[in-house]
Amino acid sequence: MVRFESLLALGLIARAVQAQSSSAAATTTAAPSCASSIAPKNGEPSVAPGWQVQVVKNELSTPRTILFDSEGHLLVLESGVGVTVMNLTQDEGGCVRADGNPERIINDESLLHGLALSLDGKTLYASSEPSVFAWDYDAAQGRNTSGPREVVSGMKNDDPNDGHVTRTLLVTRNVEGLLLVTKGSEHNYDARARNISTGSSTIKAFNMTNVTDSGYNYPQDGLLLGWGLRNSVGVGEEPITGAIYSVENSVDDFGRDGQNIHENNPGEEMNFHGYLNGTETEEQGGNYGYPDCYAAWNVSEIPDNDGLEVGMQFAIGEVEGTKVNITVNDTSCREDHVAPRLTFAAHMAPLDIKFNSNATAAWVTFHGSWDRTDPLGYKLSVIEFENGSPTAPANSTTAATDIVSNPDLSRCPDNCIRPVNLAWDSRGRLFMTSDSSGEIFVVVRADGGSTDGAGPSSGLPPSPSSSSTAPPPAESTGAAVRDAPKLSGIVAVFAGILALPVV
Ligand SMILES: *[C@@H]1O[C@H](CO)[C@@H](O)[C@H](O)[C@H]1NC(C)=O
Ligand SMILES: *[C@@H]1O[C@H](CO)[C@@H](O)[C@H](O)[C@H]1NC(C)=O
Ligand SMILES: *[C@@H]1O[C@H](CO)[C@@H](O)[C@H](O)[C@H]1NC(C)=O
Ligand SMILES: *[C@@H]1O[C@H](CO)[C@@H](O)[C@H](O)[C@H]1NC(C)=O
Ligand SMILES: *[C@@H]1O[C@H](CO)[C@@H](O)[C@H](O)[C@H]1NC(C)=O
Ligand SMILES: *[C@@H]1O[C@H](CO)[C@@H](O)[C@H](O)[C@H]1NC(C)=O
Ligand SMILES: *[C@@H]1O[C@H](CO)[C@@H](O)[C@H](O)[C@H]1NC(C)=O
Ligand SMILES: *[C@@H]1O[C@H](CO)[C@@H](O)[C@H](O)[C@H]1NC(C)=O
Ligand SMILES: *[C@@H]1O[C@H](CO)[C@@H](O)[C@H](O)[C@H]1NC(C)=O
Ligand SMILES: *[C@@H]1O[C@H](CO)[C@@H](O)[C@H](O)[C@H]1NC(C)=O
Ligand SMILES: *[C@@H]1O[C@H](CO)[C@@H](O)[C@H](O)[C@H]1NC(C)=O
C-alpha cells in the first residue's frame, strides 16, 4: 500500500535530494524565429540535433490527452477540468500557435485523462476514474452536440485515497468499432490483480458498434488484451500490422532477498498484445506478471541473479520493506508470464506510445521518476520499428533515442517539462503535452521535413531499412495517466510528486 503520508515524506526527501543533485542532458538547438514565440515555462528544453521544439499553447490546466479532429481543431483534455478546443495558426514548420482563445466545450471535473474520437469522427470519448463517456461530436463546429452517455462503467477504485485513476482510451483504426480502455492497479502493490475478475491491471477492448444504453461493465465485459499489467497508461496501434503495444509503469519500492533494489529495478515495460482482427497470438489475454513477476533492468543489482538478462522476468521478494507472499520463482515467472518486448530504466514513467504512419518509429513520452535518488525520464524518445516489431532485441538498453529532454534533471519534477501525450496533425507534425507546466509543444524536424517521416538522419537510430520523406499521418488518440485533481491546500503543493506513484 502506498500511504498518503509516506508519499508526502518521499516527496520531501525527493525534493531535498533533487536540490543537491545535478545532471546534464545532451544537446540543445537554436529555436526557429517565429512571428510570435512563446517562451517555454522552464527554459528551452534540450533537443537532439536535427530537431526543433516550440510552445504552441501555454497556461493550460494540467493538459493530459490531445487529439485533432478532421477539421484540424486541437482538442485537449485538462485533468479535473474538462475538454477544451482550439484553432491553430496554419504556419509552416514549427511556427504553429494556438489561434484565438480556446473554448471549453465540456466542463466536467471528473474527467482525468482519456480522450479519443471514433473513426468517423462523430463520437467523442473521454474517461473519468469510474467510467468512459461518449458524446456526439461535430467537427465542423468543433464541439459536442449531445450530452454524455456512459459506455463503460465499473472502474472505480475500492480505496478512494489510493490507486491509479487514469483510464486511457484508444480507438483502433485497423479493426473498426473497438475502444481500448486501460485500468491500472489500486495500489503500488495490488494483490487483487491476481484475480482476473477484478479487472485490476488490465487492458480491454469494447465493441462500440453494438453498445447498448446500459453500456459495458469493465470487469465483466470486453475482450481481454492482457492482465498483470500494473499501470499501462500508454497504448498504441502499429498502423501496418495492427499490432497493439502498451507501455507500463512498474512497481515502486522493490526488494528481494532482504535488499531494497528499487533505484534501478524493475524496468518499465513495452508490451505486445497481439492483433484485433481475430488472429490469435499467445500473448493476447495473457498474464504479464504483476504483482509477482517483473522485468530486470539493472541485473547486477539483483540478488541471486543467475541467468537473468535485461527484460527477463524475475520474482519479487519485498515491497515497501515488507515481505510478500508469492508462489512464483524466477523459473515460473519466465515460463508462465508474458515478458516485455522492450524494457526501459526504472521509474521513467512512460505514458504514451504513438506510431508514425509507416510504422518505422514509435514515439514514447516519459513523465519522469519520483522513486529514485536522481530524477530520470522527463523526455520524449523514439524507438525504431520494422515489420511490426522494435528493431532492438528484448534485452536492449539502448532502444530509445531521446529527442526532447530537460537540460538539468536536478530541477525535476518542479521546473521541468513532463511529457504526457502525443498527437499527429495532418502535416505530420508531432504535438506533445506537458501537464505540470501547462504547455503543449510541437516537435518538428529542423529542415522542415515532417516528423512523421523522420528517418535515421533526423534523429532516429541508424537502421538497415531507412526512410526519409513522409506522408502526413491521420492518427489521433489518447493515452493516460493520473493526476491529483482533488487535492487541496498543503497537499496541492506536493501534487506533482503525489501524482507520480499513481501514474
Ligand atoms: C475556430 O475558427 C472558426 C472559423 O474561423 C471559428 O468559427 C471558431 O469559433 C474558432 N474556434 C475557436 C475555439 O477558436
Ligand atoms: C456538451 O457536453 C456538455 C457536458 O457533458 C454538456 O453540458 C453540453 O450541453 C453539451 N453540448 C451540447 C451542445 O449538447
Ligand atoms: C475475484 O474477484 C471477484 C470480483 O471482484 C470476486 O467476486 C471474487 O470473490 C474474487 N475471488 C477471489 C478468490 O478473491
Ligand atoms: C462489433 O459488433 C458488431 C455488431 O455485433 C459486429 O458486426 C462486429 O463484427 C463487431 N466487431 C468486432 C471487432 O468484434
Ligand atoms: C457486441 O458484439 C460483441 C462481439 O463482436 C459481443 O462480444 C458483445 O457482447 C456485443 N455487445 C453487446 C452489448 O451485445
Ligand atoms: C491479422 O493481422 C495479422 C498481422 O497483421 C496478420 O498476420 C493476420 O493474417 C491477420 N488476420 C486476419 C484474419 O486478417
Ligand atoms: C547498475 O548497477 C551498478 C552497480 O550498482 C551501477 O554501477 C550501474 O551504474 C548501474 N547501471 C544502471 C544503468 O542502472
Ligand atoms: C501471506 O499468506 C498467509 C497465508 O495465506 C497469510 O496468512 C498472510 O497474511 C499473508 N501475508 C501477507 C503479508 O499478505
Ligand atoms: C518454481 O516454481 C515451479 C512452479 O510452482 C515449481 O514447479 C518449481 O519446482 C519451482 N522451482 C524452484 C527452483 O523452486
Ligand atoms: C541479447 O539477446 C541476444 C539475442 O536476442 C543475444 O545474442 C545477446 O547475447 C544478448 N545480450 C546480452 C548482453 O545478454
Ligand atoms: C511510407 O510508405 C509510402 C508507401 O509505401 C512511401 O511512399 C513513403 O516513402 C514511406 N515513407 C517513409 C517515411 O517511409
Side-chain angles (χ1 to χ4, degrees), residues 412-425:
C412 303
D414 291 355
N415 300 301
C416 284
I417 50 167
R418 302 204 68 184
V420 178
N421 186 251
L422 301 167
W424 297 104
D425 78 353

PDB file of all heavy atoms in Angstrom, residues 412-425:
ATOM      1  N   CYS A 412      14.002  18.735 -11.803  1.00  0.00           N
ATOM      2  CA  CYS A 412      12.749  17.990 -11.967  1.00  0.00           C
ATOM      3  C   CYS A 412      12.294  17.449 -10.609  1.00  0.00           C
ATOM      4  O   CYS A 412      13.130  17.127  -9.783  1.00  0.00           O
ATOM      5  CB  CYS A 412      12.941  16.824 -12.919  1.00  0.00           C
ATOM      6  SG  CYS A 412      13.558  17.324 -14.554  1.00  0.00           S
ATOM      7  N   PRO A 413      11.012  17.289 -10.359  1.00  0.00           N
ATOM      8  CA  PRO A 413       9.929  17.478 -11.324  1.00  0.00           C
ATOM      9  C   PRO A 413       9.394  18.910 -11.454  1.00  0.00           C
ATOM     10  O   PRO A 413       8.679  19.195 -12.396  1.00  0.00           O
ATOM     11  CB  PRO A 413       8.831  16.572 -10.753  1.00  0.00           C
ATOM     12  CG  PRO A 413       9.048  16.626  -9.286  1.00  0.00           C
ATOM     13  CD  PRO A 413      10.529  16.714  -9.095  1.00  0.00           C
ATOM     14  N   ASP A 414       9.745  19.788 -10.505  1.00  0.00           N
ATOM     15  CA  ASP A 414       9.018  21.061 -10.439  1.00  0.00           C
ATOM     16  C   ASP A 414       9.261  21.991 -11.613  1.00  0.00           C
ATOM     17  O   ASP A 414       8.356  22.684 -12.066  1.00  0.00           O
ATOM     18  CB  ASP A 414       9.394  21.800  -9.150  1.00  0.00           C
ATOM     19  CG  ASP A 414       8.854  21.094  -7.936  1.00  0.00           C
ATOM     20  OD1 ASP A 414       8.120  20.093  -8.132  1.00  0.00           O
ATOM     21  OD2 ASP A 414       9.156  21.516  -6.812  1.00  0.00           O
ATOM     22  N   ASN A 415      10.491  22.035 -12.091  1.00  0.00           N
ATOM     23  CA  ASN A 415      10.826  23.025 -13.113  1.00  0.00           C
ATOM     24  C   ASN A 415      11.281  22.358 -14.405  1.00  0.00           C
ATOM     25  O   ASN A 415      12.287  22.741 -15.000  1.00  0.00           O
ATOM     26  CB  ASN A 415      11.898  23.970 -12.568  1.00  0.00           C
ATOM     27  CG  ASN A 415      11.406  24.685 -11.324  1.00  0.00           C
ATOM     28  OD1 ASN A 415      10.391  25.392 -11.378  1.00  0.00           O
ATOM     29  ND2 ASN A 415      12.073  24.484 -10.205  1.00  0.00           N
ATOM     30  N   CYS A 416      10.519  21.377 -14.814  1.00  0.00           N
ATOM     31  CA  CYS A 416      10.850  20.590 -16.000  1.00  0.00           C
ATOM     32  C   CYS A 416       9.615  20.416 -16.878  1.00  0.00           C
ATOM     33  O   CYS A 416       8.499  20.561 -16.391  1.00  0.00           O
ATOM     34  CB  CYS A 416      11.311  19.190 -15.590  1.00  0.00           C
ATOM     35  SG  CYS A 416      12.978  19.160 -14.936  1.00  0.00           S
ATOM     36  N   ILE A 417       9.844  20.057 -18.131  1.00  0.00           N
ATOM     37  CA  ILE A 417       8.721  19.546 -18.909  1.00  0.00           C
ATOM     38  C   ILE A 417       8.444  18.127 -18.416  1.00  0.00           C
ATOM     39  O   ILE A 417       9.352  17.384 -18.059  1.00  0.00           O
ATOM     40  CB  ILE A 417       8.986  19.526 -20.431  1.00  0.00           C
ATOM     41  CG1 ILE A 417      10.322  18.848 -20.764  1.00  0.00           C
ATOM     42  CG2 ILE A 417       8.886  20.902 -21.035  1.00  0.00           C
ATOM     43  CD1 ILE A 417      10.464  18.518 -22.242  1.00  0.00           C
ATOM     44  N   ARG A 418       7.160  17.789 -18.394  1.00  0.00           N
ATOM     45  CA  ARG A 418       6.769  16.433 -18.022  1.00  0.00           C
ATOM     46  C   ARG A 418       5.861  15.896 -19.122  1.00  0.00           C
ATOM     47  O   ARG A 418       4.629  16.024 -19.066  1.00  0.00           O
ATOM     48  CB  ARG A 418       6.025  16.425 -16.675  1.00  0.00           C
ATOM     49  CG  ARG A 418       6.856  17.009 -15.539  1.00  0.00           C
ATOM     50  CD  ARG A 418       6.418  16.487 -14.208  1.00  0.00           C
ATOM     51  NE  ARG A 418       6.727  15.064 -14.076  1.00  0.00           N
ATOM     52  CZ  ARG A 418       6.375  14.326 -13.038  1.00  0.00           C
ATOM     53  NH1 ARG A 418       5.692  14.856 -12.055  1.00  0.00           N
ATOM     54  NH2 ARG A 418       6.701  13.048 -12.988  1.00  0.00           N
ATOM     55  N   PRO A 419       6.473  15.269 -20.144  1.00  0.00           N
ATOM     56  CA  PRO A 419       5.696  14.820 -21.302  1.00  0.00           C
ATOM     57  C   PRO A 419       4.626  13.796 -20.930  1.00  0.00           C
ATOM     58  O   PRO A 419       4.867  12.895 -20.121  1.00  0.00           O
ATOM     59  CB  PRO A 419       6.757  14.196 -22.206  1.00  0.00           C
ATOM     60  CG  PRO A 419       8.028  14.892 -21.828  1.00  0.00           C
ATOM     61  CD  PRO A 419       7.914  15.080 -20.342  1.00  0.00           C
ATOM     62  N   VAL A 420       3.448  13.966 -21.500  1.00  0.00           N
ATOM     63  CA  VAL A 420       2.340  13.051 -21.219  1.00  0.00           C
ATOM     64  C   VAL A 420       1.863  12.373 -22.497  1.00  0.00           C
ATOM     65  O   VAL A 420       1.987  11.167 -22.660  1.00  0.00           O
ATOM     66  CB  VAL A 420       1.157  13.790 -20.553  1.00  0.00           C
ATOM     67  CG1 VAL A 420      -0.006  12.827 -20.308  1.00  0.00           C
ATOM     68  CG2 VAL A 420       1.598  14.418 -19.236  1.00  0.00           C
ATOM     69  N   ASN A 421       1.333  13.170 -23.432  1.00  0.00           N
ATOM     70  CA  ASN A 421       0.588  12.574 -24.538  1.00  0.00           C
ATOM     71  C   ASN A 421       1.004  13.213 -25.862  1.00  0.00           C
ATOM     72  O   ASN A 421       1.492  14.339 -25.891  1.00  0.00           O
ATOM     73  CB  ASN A 421      -0.906  12.786 -24.271  1.00  0.00           C
ATOM     74  CG  ASN A 421      -1.781  12.089 -25.289  1.00  0.00           C
ATOM     75  OD1 ASN A 421      -2.400  12.739 -26.122  1.00  0.00           O
ATOM     76  ND2 ASN A 421      -1.826  10.778 -25.240  1.00  0.00           N
ATOM     77  N   LEU A 422       0.770  12.468 -26.928  1.00  0.00           N
ATOM     78  CA  LEU A 422       1.206  12.886 -28.263  1.00  0.00           C
ATOM     79  C   LEU A 422       0.050  12.846 -29.252  1.00  0.00           C
ATOM     80  O   LEU A 422      -0.859  12.026 -29.120  1.00  0.00           O
ATOM     81  CB  LEU A 422       2.293  11.927 -28.763  1.00  0.00           C
ATOM     82  CG  LEU A 422       3.546  11.813 -27.895  1.00  0.00           C
ATOM     83  CD1 LEU A 422       4.377  10.616 -28.339  1.00  0.00           C
ATOM     84  CD2 LEU A 422       4.361  13.101 -27.962  1.00  0.00           C
ATOM     85  N   ALA A 423       0.115  13.711 -30.265  1.00  0.00           N
ATOM     86  CA  ALA A 423      -0.870  13.664 -31.358  1.00  0.00           C
ATOM     87  C   ALA A 423      -0.219  14.167 -32.634  1.00  0.00           C
ATOM     88  O   ALA A 423       0.578  15.117 -32.609  1.00  0.00           O
ATOM     89  CB  ALA A 423      -2.085  14.530 -31.018  1.00  0.00           C
ATOM     90  N   TRP A 424      -0.549  13.533 -33.745  1.00  0.00           N
ATOM     91  CA  TRP A 424      -0.088  13.973 -35.067  1.00  0.00           C
ATOM     92  C   TRP A 424      -1.114  14.925 -35.664  1.00  0.00           C
ATOM     93  O   TRP A 424      -2.317  14.691 -35.552  1.00  0.00           O
ATOM     94  CB  TRP A 424       0.025  12.775 -36.014  1.00  0.00           C
ATOM     95  CG  TRP A 424       1.012  11.729 -35.634  1.00  0.00           C
ATOM     96  CD1 TRP A 424       0.750  10.506 -35.096  1.00  0.00           C
ATOM     97  CD2 TRP A 424       2.427  11.803 -35.795  1.00  0.00           C
ATOM     98  NE1 TRP A 424       1.921   9.813 -34.904  1.00  0.00           N
ATOM     99  CE2 TRP A 424       2.973  10.591 -35.331  1.00  0.00           C
ATOM    100  CE3 TRP A 424       3.306  12.792 -36.289  1.00  0.00           C
ATOM    101  CZ2 TRP A 424       4.335  10.318 -35.337  1.00  0.00           C
ATOM    102  CZ3 TRP A 424       4.661  12.510 -36.295  1.00  0.00           C
ATOM    103  CH2 TRP A 424       5.165  11.288 -35.824  1.00  0.00           C
ATOM    104  N   ASP A 425      -0.643  15.971 -36.358  1.00  0.00           N
ATOM    105  CA  ASP A 425      -1.582  16.743 -37.157  1.00  0.00           C
ATOM    106  C   ASP A 425      -1.494  16.272 -38.608  1.00  0.00           C
ATOM    107  O   ASP A 425      -0.702  15.373 -38.937  1.00  0.00           O
ATOM    108  CB  ASP A 425      -1.389  18.259 -36.985  1.00  0.00           C
ATOM    109  CG  ASP A 425      -0.205  18.825 -37.766  1.00  0.00           C
ATOM    110  OD1 ASP A 425       0.573  18.043 -38.352  1.00  0.00           O
ATOM    111  OD2 ASP A 425      -0.061  20.061 -37.777  1.00  0.00           O
TER     112      ASP A 425
END
